[in-house]
């Protein structure tokens, strides 16, 4: 039911852990399944994401999507990182079972929440970035 890539990122997650003094940190969860995901970003003066790490308390798909999301946003500018949607994360993982789509939404929203935190701390506005919710469900998202 899971692709090889999902299994790979689940058993050997990339960028797991914290960043000390992060530029931005975002935490989101899903009240239904109880899973929680936290993303840390280190962003340089040119608004490029130098480092991205995650901590996830959740299912295998949540771990795999966090891992892949950190890989996809690393080295990107803020604008580019906004384009790393849950769809992009799922594609990079070779797909997810339908009941696991919300796990990838957590990854997208956790990145957005961390970017939001960065914007707040630096008093800037990131075009296209909306205030993140912290309880993430499929409803209201195009999947
Ligand atoms: Fe909820 Fe995976 S089952 S994040």
């Amino acid at each position: 039911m899971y692709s090889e890539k999902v299994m790979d990122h689940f058993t050997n997650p990339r960028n797991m852990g914290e960043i000390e003094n992060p530029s931005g940190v975002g935490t989101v969860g899903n009240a239904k399944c109880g899973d929680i995901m936290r993303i840390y970003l280190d962003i340089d003066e040119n608004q490029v994401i130098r480092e991205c790490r995650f901590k996830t308390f959740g299912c295998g798909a949540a771990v795999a999507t966090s891992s892949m999301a950190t890989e996809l946003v690393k080295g990107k500018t803020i604008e580019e990182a906004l384009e790393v949607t849950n769809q992009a994360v799922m594609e990079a993982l070779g797909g997810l079972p339908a009941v696991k789509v919300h796990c990838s939404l957590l990854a997208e929203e956790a990145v957005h929440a961390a970017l939001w935190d960065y914007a707040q701390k630096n008093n800037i506005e990131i075009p296209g970035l909306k205030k993140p919710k912290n309880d993430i469900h499929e409803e209201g998202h195009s999947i």
Side-chain angles (χ1 to χ4, degrees):
M1 107 176 205
Y2 285 122
S3 73
E4 253 172 57
K5 276 202 184 140
V6 172
M7 291 310 290
D8 176 31
H9 278 262
F10 170 58
T11 51
N12 178 25
R14 327 298 199 262
N15 311 306
M16 198 160 61
E18 296 178 24
I19 294 178
E20 246 179 79
N21 303 318
S23 314
V25 53
T27 307
V28 298
N30 178 304
K32 274 190 206 151
C33 66
D35 292 354
I36 297 168
M37 196 181 284
R38 179 170 296 159
I39 294 269
Y40 301 82
L41 296 174
D42 178 29
I43 299 171
D44 73 12
E45 59 286 355
N46 299 315
Q47 298 198 334
V48 173
I49 298 169
R50 236 185 328 223
E51 196 61 66
C52 179
R53 291 188 177 271
F54 79 91
K55 267 187 156 179
T56 291
F57 184 82
C59 73
V63 172
T65 53
S66 337
S67 168
M68 182 54 91
T70 59
E71 285 284 271
L72 291 177
V73 301
K74 239 191 342 182
K76 290 208 163 65
T77 63
I78 288 173
E79 285 79 36
E80 289 166 343
L82 277 181
E83 284 159 28
V84 177
T85 58
N86 78 300
Q87 206 57 257
V89 172
M90 282 199 293
E91 267 163 38
L93 284 170
L96 279 177
V99 292
K100 292 291 175 181
V101 170
H102 78 271
C103 319
S104 66
L105 281 169
L106 285 189
E108 176 186 316
E109 287 293 321
V111 171
H112 287 184
L115 287 171
W116 181 265
D117 182 43
Y118 164 76
Q120 297 274 294
K121 280 181 179 151
N122 291 280
N123 222 354
I124 56 168
E125 212 175 294
I126 300 176
L129 181 64
K130 292 192 206 85
K131 190 173 193 306
K133 297 176 280 176
N134 46 23
D135 186 16
I136 311 302
H137 300 281
E138 278 94 342
E139 300 93 55
H141 277 272
S142 46
I143 47 171

